Amino acid sequence: VKCPTGCKVGRRSCNLTIEGKWFLSSALASVATFESLELLYTHGDMVQSLPPIAISLGGNDSVPVLAAAYFKSEEYAARFRENAIVNYEGSKTIPSSGSLEEYTKLNGYSSLPYAITLQAHPE
């Protein structure tokens, strides 16, 4: 959808969803935990909604989808979301039993996102 406020260029911080916090913090646990993501952008459009095989990893009040993960199926997307909520919600660190590595051992590599999109919007 064309962005009603026109083309934009810049850097924007977006708050991560529970799924985004779990995914990035678990994948990069030795580096840091994440609450937000800094994105460079240029755009003239915006994401209004995601298909059932995708989940939002971060956004803001105006544009809830600034980063998204895409999965092989709706089942994998739902499983990933449920695991992220169980293992991250309410905590600032990733328990070892709830890491992305443990998730992959239990569910297989095909359960991980096959694509990640990042699209910062300053609206």
Side-chain angles (χ1 to χ4, degrees):
V1 174
K2 186 172 182 170
C3 183
T5 58
C7 292
K8 307 289 182 212
V9 177
R11 185 178 103 198
R12 191 59 139 191
S13 177
C14 80
N15 294 323
L16 293 172
T17 61
I18 294 296
E19 296 88 349
K21 291 175 188 178
W22 179 76
F23 180 67
L24 291 175
S25 295
S26 186
L28 303 169
S30 63
V31 179
T33 57
F34 293 85
E35 293 293 320
S36 64
L37 186 63
E38 295 288 324
L39 300 172
L40 299 176
Y41 66 88
T42 177
H43 72 87
D45 64 346
M46 61 188 265
V47 176
Q48 286 187 313
S49 63
L50 291 170
I53 63 165
I55 59 173
S56 175
L57 296 177
N60 62 38
D61 291 338
S62 300
V63 183
V65 182
L66 296 177
Y70 293 82
F71 297 84
K72 183 178 177 179
S73 69
E74 288 180 48
E75 177 188 344
Y76 284 138
R79 188 181 304 165
F80 191 89
R81 177 181 288 117
E82 290 166 13
N83 193 74
I85 291 168
V86 166
N87 287 297
Y88 196 90
E89 195 166 43
S91 76
K92 299 293 183 205
T93 60
I94 304 300
S96 59
S97 62
S99 71
L100 191 58
E101 182 179 358
E102 289 298 316
Y103 175 81
T104 306
K105 284 179 185 176
L106 292 171
N107 297 284
Y109 283 103
S110 62
S111 67
L112 295 174
Y114 67 81
I116 304 290
T117 60
L118 305 172
Q119 189 172 17
H121 289 272
E123 291 86 353

